[in-house]
mmCIF file with all atom_site columns, all heavy atoms in Angstrom:
data_model
loop_
_atom_site.group_PDB
_atom_site.id
_atom_site.type_symbol
_atom_site.label_atom_id
_atom_site.label_alt_id
_atom_site.label_comp_id
_atom_site.label_asym_id
_atom_site.label_entity_id
_atom_site.label_seq_id
_atom_site.pdbx_PDB_ins_code
_atom_site.Cartn_x
_atom_site.Cartn_y
_atom_site.Cartn_z
_atom_site.occupancy
_atom_site.B_iso_or_equiv
_atom_site.pdbx_formal_charge
_atom_site.auth_seq_id
_atom_site.auth_comp_id
_atom_site.auth_asym_id
_atom_site.auth_atom_id
_atom_site.pdbx_PDB_model_num
ATOM 1   N N   . PRO B 1 102 ? 8.477   -8.433 -27.756 1.00 91.00 ? 102 PRO B N   1
ATOM 2   C CA  . PRO B 1 102 ? 7.126   -8.055 -28.198 1.00 91.00 ? 102 PRO B CA  1
ATOM 3   C C   . PRO B 1 102 ? 7.079   -6.646 -28.793 1.00 91.00 ? 102 PRO B C   1
ATOM 4   O O   . PRO B 1 102 ? 6.265   -6.373 -29.671 1.00 91.00 ? 102 PRO B O   1
ATOM 5   C CB  . PRO B 1 102 ? 6.300   -8.135 -26.918 1.00 91.00 ? 102 PRO B CB  1
ATOM 6   C CG  . PRO B 1 102 ? 7.064   -8.993 -25.971 1.00 91.00 ? 102 PRO B CG  1
ATOM 7   C CD  . PRO B 1 102 ? 8.512   -8.829 -26.333 1.00 91.00 ? 102 PRO B CD  1
ATOM 8   N N   . THR B 1 103 ? 7.980   -5.749 -28.310 1.00 92.00 ? 103 THR B N   1
ATOM 9   C CA  . THR B 1 103 ? 8.069   -4.388 -28.872 1.00 92.00 ? 103 THR B CA  1
ATOM 10  C C   . THR B 1 103 ? 6.708   -3.711 -28.923 1.00 92.00 ? 103 THR B C   1
ATOM 11  O O   . THR B 1 103 ? 6.265   -3.265 -29.975 1.00 92.00 ? 103 THR B O   1
ATOM 12  C CB  . THR B 1 103 ? 8.702   -4.401 -30.270 1.00 92.00 ? 103 THR B CB  1
ATOM 13  O OG1 . THR B 1 103 ? 9.753   -5.363 -30.274 1.00 92.00 ? 103 THR B OG1 1
ATOM 14  C CG2 . THR B 1 103 ? 9.311   -3.061 -30.616 1.00 92.00 ? 103 THR B CG2 1
ATOM 15  N N   . LEU B 1 104 ? 6.056   -3.651 -27.784 1.00 94.00 ? 104 LEU B N   1
ATOM 16  C CA  . LEU B 1 104 ? 4.756   -2.969 -27.713 1.00 94.00 ? 104 LEU B CA  1
ATOM 17  C C   . LEU B 1 104 ? 4.960   -1.579 -27.108 1.00 94.00 ? 104 LEU B C   1
ATOM 18  O O   . LEU B 1 104 ? 5.942   -1.332 -26.401 1.00 94.00 ? 104 LEU B O   1
ATOM 19  C CB  . LEU B 1 104 ? 3.796   -3.763 -26.835 1.00 94.00 ? 104 LEU B CB  1
ATOM 20  C CG  . LEU B 1 104 ? 3.581   -5.231 -27.244 1.00 94.00 ? 104 LEU B CG  1
ATOM 21  C CD1 . LEU B 1 104 ? 2.732   -5.949 -26.223 1.00 94.00 ? 104 LEU B CD1 1
ATOM 22  C CD2 . LEU B 1 104 ? 2.948   -5.292 -28.624 1.00 94.00 ? 104 LEU B CD2 1
ATOM 23  N N   . LEU B 1 105 ? 4.032   -0.681 -27.412 1.00 94.00 ? 105 LEU B N   1
ATOM 24  C CA  . LEU B 1 105 ? 4.054   0.633  -26.783 1.00 94.00 ? 105 LEU B CA  1
ATOM 25  C C   . LEU B 1 105 ? 3.566   0.436  -25.342 1.00 94.00 ? 105 LEU B C   1
ATOM 26  O O   . LEU B 1 105 ? 2.413   0.077  -25.144 1.00 94.00 ? 105 LEU B O   1
ATOM 27  C CB  . LEU B 1 105 ? 3.113   1.609  -27.507 1.00 94.00 ? 105 LEU B CB  1
ATOM 28  C CG  . LEU B 1 105 ? 3.343   1.832  -29.006 1.00 94.00 ? 105 LEU B CG  1
ATOM 29  C CD1 . LEU B 1 105 ? 2.208   2.663  -29.570 1.00 94.00 ? 105 LEU B CD1 1
ATOM 30  C CD2 . LEU B 1 105 ? 4.661   2.494  -29.267 1.00 94.00 ? 105 LEU B CD2 1
ATOM 31  N N   . PRO B 1 106 ? 4.436   0.654  -24.352 1.00 93.00 ? 106 PRO B N   1
ATOM 32  C CA  . PRO B 1 106 ? 4.026   0.361  -22.976 1.00 93.00 ? 106 PRO B CA  1
ATOM 33  C C   . PRO B 1 106 ? 2.893   1.273  -22.475 1.00 93.00 ? 106 PRO B C   1
ATOM 34  O O   . PRO B 1 106 ? 2.148   0.890  -21.586 1.00 93.00 ? 106 PRO B O   1
ATOM 35  C CB  . PRO B 1 106 ? 5.295   0.565  -22.151 1.00 93.00 ? 106 PRO B CB  1
ATOM 36  C CG  . PRO B 1 106 ? 6.181   1.422  -22.994 1.00 93.00 ? 106 PRO B CG  1
ATOM 37  C CD  . PRO B 1 106 ? 5.825   1.146  -24.428 1.00 93.00 ? 106 PRO B CD  1
ATOM 38  N N   . TRP B 1 107 ? 2.791   2.468  -23.076 1.00 93.00 ? 107 TRP B N   1
ATOM 39  C CA  . TRP B 1 107 ? 1.795   3.432  -22.576 1.00 93.00 ? 107 TRP B CA  1
ATOM 40  C C   . TRP B 1 107 ? 0.444   3.231  -23.252 1.00 93.00 ? 107 TRP B C   1
ATOM 41  O O   . TRP B 1 107 ? -0.514  3.933  -22.914 1.00 93.00 ? 107 TRP B O   1
ATOM 42  C CB  . TRP B 1 107 ? 2.290   4.851  -22.816 1.00 93.00 ? 107 TRP B CB  1
ATOM 43  C CG  . TRP B 1 107 ? 2.695   5.097  -24.233 1.00 93.00 ? 107 TRP B CG  1
ATOM 44  C CD1 . TRP B 1 107 ? 1.899   5.380  -25.296 1.00 93.00 ? 107 TRP B CD1 1
ATOM 45  C CD2 . TRP B 1 107 ? 4.012   5.013  -24.744 1.00 93.00 ? 107 TRP B CD2 1
ATOM 46  N NE1 . TRP B 1 107 ? 2.645   5.475  -26.409 1.00 93.00 ? 107 TRP B NE1 1
ATOM 47  C CE2 . TRP B 1 107 ? 3.952   5.268  -26.128 1.00 93.00 ? 107 TRP B CE2 1
ATOM 48  C CE3 . TRP B 1 107 ? 5.270   4.741  -24.138 1.00 93.00 ? 107 TRP B CE3 1
ATOM 49  C CZ2 . TRP B 1 107 ? 5.068   5.270  -26.946 1.00 93.00 ? 107 TRP B CZ2 1
ATOM 50  C CZ3 . TRP B 1 107 ? 6.380   4.751  -24.967 1.00 93.00 ? 107 TRP B CZ3 1
ATOM 51  C CH2 . TRP B 1 107 ? 6.285   5.018  -26.347 1.00 93.00 ? 107 TRP B CH2 1
ATOM 52  N N   . ALA B 1 108 ? 0.352   2.338  -24.213 1.00 93.00 ? 108 ALA B N   1
ATOM 53  C CA  . ALA B 1 108 ? -0.895  2.175  -24.949 1.00 93.00 ? 108 ALA B CA  1
ATOM 54  C C   . ALA B 1 108 ? -1.518  0.824  -24.591 1.00 93.00 ? 108 ALA B C   1
ATOM 55  O O   . ALA B 1 108 ? -0.830  -0.179 -24.377 1.00 93.00 ? 108 ALA B O   1
ATOM 56  C CB  . ALA B 1 108 ? -0.649  2.253  -26.443 1.00 93.00 ? 108 ALA B CB  1
ATOM 57  N N   . ARG B 1 109 ? -2.832  0.813  -24.507 1.00 93.00 ? 109 ARG B N   1
ATOM 58  C CA  . ARG B 1 109 ? -3.537  -0.434 -24.210 1.00 93.00 ? 109 ARG B CA  1
ATOM 59  C C   . ARG B 1 109 ? -3.394  -1.386 -25.387 1.00 93.00 ? 109 ARG B C   1
ATOM 60  O O   . ARG B 1 109 ? -3.017  -0.988 -26.513 1.00 93.00 ? 109 ARG B O   1
ATOM 61  C CB  . ARG B 1 109 ? -4.999  -0.162 -23.913 1.00 93.00 ? 109 ARG B CB  1
ATOM 62  C CG  . ARG B 1 109 ? -5.165  0.647  -22.635 1.00 93.00 ? 109 ARG B CG  1
ATOM 63  C CD  . ARG B 1 109 ? -6.617  1.078  -22.440 1.00 93.00 ? 109 ARG B CD  1
ATOM 64  N NE  . ARG B 1 109 ? -6.705  2.089  -21.375 1.00 93.00 ? 109 ARG B NE  1
ATOM 65  C CZ  . ARG B 1 109 ? -6.803  1.783  -20.078 1.00 93.00 ? 109 ARG B CZ  1
ATOM 66  N NH1 . ARG B 1 109 ? -6.829  0.526  -19.686 1.00 93.00 ? 109 ARG B NH1 1
ATOM 67  N NH2 . ARG B 1 109 ? -6.853  2.729  -19.169 1.00 93.00 ? 109 ARG B NH2 1
ATOM 68  N N   . VAL B 1 110 ? -3.727  -2.668 -25.128 1.00 95.00 ? 110 VAL B N   1
ATOM 69  C CA  . VAL B 1 110 ? -3.554  -3.703 -26.152 1.00 95.00 ? 110 VAL B CA  1
ATOM 70  C C   . VAL B 1 110 ? -4.221  -3.340 -27.462 1.00 95.00 ? 110 VAL B C   1
ATOM 71  O O   . VAL B 1 110 ? -3.659  -3.452 -28.547 1.00 95.00 ? 110 VAL B O   1
ATOM 72  C CB  . VAL B 1 110 ? -4.080  -5.056 -25.602 1.00 95.00 ? 110 VAL B CB  1
ATOM 73  C CG1 . VAL B 1 110 ? -4.293  -6.051 -26.728 1.00 95.00 ? 110 VAL B CG1 1
ATOM 74  C CG2 . VAL B 1 110 ? -3.129  -5.606 -24.541 1.00 95.00 ? 110 VAL B CG2 1
ATOM 75  N N   . TRP B 1 111 ? -5.450  -2.821 -27.337 1.00 95.00 ? 111 TRP B N   1
ATOM 76  C CA  . TRP B 1 111 ? -6.216  -2.472 -28.577 1.00 95.00 ? 111 TRP B CA  1
ATOM 77  C C   . TRP B 1 111 ? -5.452  -1.437 -29.381 1.00 95.00 ? 111 TRP B C   1
ATOM 78  O O   . TRP B 1 111 ? -5.306  -1.539 -30.599 1.00 95.00 ? 111 TRP B O   1
ATOM 79  C CB  . TRP B 1 111 ? -7.607  -1.973 -28.198 1.00 95.00 ? 111 TRP B CB  1
ATOM 80  C CG  . TRP B 1 111 ? -8.575  -1.976 -29.352 1.00 95.00 ? 111 TRP B CG  1
ATOM 81  C CD1 . TRP B 1 111 ? -9.407  -2.985 -29.688 1.00 95.00 ? 111 TRP B CD1 1
ATOM 82  C CD2 . TRP B 1 111 ? -8.730  -0.970 -30.353 1.00 95.00 ? 111 TRP B CD2 1
ATOM 83  N NE1 . TRP B 1 111 ? -10.106 -2.663 -30.821 1.00 95.00 ? 111 TRP B NE1 1
ATOM 84  C CE2 . TRP B 1 111 ? -9.714  -1.425 -31.265 1.00 95.00 ? 111 TRP B CE2 1
ATOM 85  C CE3 . TRP B 1 111 ? -8.147  0.277  -30.562 1.00 95.00 ? 111 TRP B CE3 1
ATOM 86  C CZ2 . TRP B 1 111 ? -10.131 -0.680 -32.356 1.00 95.00 ? 111 TRP B CZ2 1
ATOM 87  C CZ3 . TRP B 1 111 ? -8.553  1.026  -31.652 1.00 95.00 ? 111 TRP B CZ3 1
ATOM 88  C CH2 . TRP B 1 111 ? -9.540  0.547  -32.551 1.00 95.00 ? 111 TRP B CH2 1
ATOM 89  N N   . GLU B 1 112 ? -4.961  -0.403 -28.690 1.00 94.00 ? 112 GLU B N   1
ATOM 90  C CA  . GLU B 1 112 ? -4.238  0.690  -29.374 1.00 94.00 ? 112 GLU B CA  1
ATOM 91  C C   . GLU B 1 112 ? -2.958  0.156  -30.022 1.00 94.00 ? 112 GLU B C   1
ATOM 92  O O   . GLU B 1 112 ? -2.544  0.642  -31.064 1.00 94.00 ? 112 GLU B O   1
ATOM 93  C CB  . GLU B 1 112 ? -3.893  1.794  -28.371 1.00 94.00 ? 112 GLU B CB  1
ATOM 94  C CG  . GLU B 1 112 ? -5.095  2.509  -27.801 1.00 94.00 ? 112 GLU B CG  1
ATOM 95  C CD  . GLU B 1 112 ? -5.771  3.408  -28.822 1.00 94.00 ? 112 GLU B CD  1
ATOM 96  O OE1 . GLU B 1 112 ? -5.078  3.952  -29.685 1.00 94.00 ? 112 GLU B OE1 1
ATOM 97  O OE2 . GLU B 1 112 ? -7.019  3.534  -28.775 1.00 94.00 ? 112 GLU B OE2 1
ATOM 98  N N   . ASN B 1 113 ? -2.308  -0.786 -29.369 1.00 94.00 ? 113 ASN B N   1
ATOM 99  C CA  . ASN B 1 113 ? -1.094  -1.364 -29.916 1.00 94.00 ? 113 ASN B CA  1
ATOM 100 C C   . ASN B 1 113 ? -1.353  -2.067 -31.236 1.00 94.00 ? 113 ASN B C   1
ATOM 101 O O   . ASN B 1 113 ? -0.590  -1.976 -32.181 1.00 94.00 ? 113 ASN B O   1
ATOM 102 C CB  . ASN B 1 113 ? -0.479  -2.322 -28.919 1.00 94.00 ? 113 ASN B CB  1
ATOM 103 C CG  . ASN B 1 113 ? 0.570   -1.644 -28.067 1.00 94.00 ? 113 ASN B CG  1
ATOM 104 O OD1 . ASN B 1 113 ? 1.636   -1.274 -28.544 1.00 94.00 ? 113 ASN B OD1 1
ATOM 105 N ND2 . ASN B 1 113 ? 0.268   -1.483 -26.790 1.00 94.00 ? 113 ASN B ND2 1
#
Side-chain angles (χ1 to χ4, degrees):
Chain B
T103 321
L104 304 174
L105 304 172
W107 52 82
R109 293 173 193 275
V110 164
W111 197 93
E112 294 289 327
N113 266 291

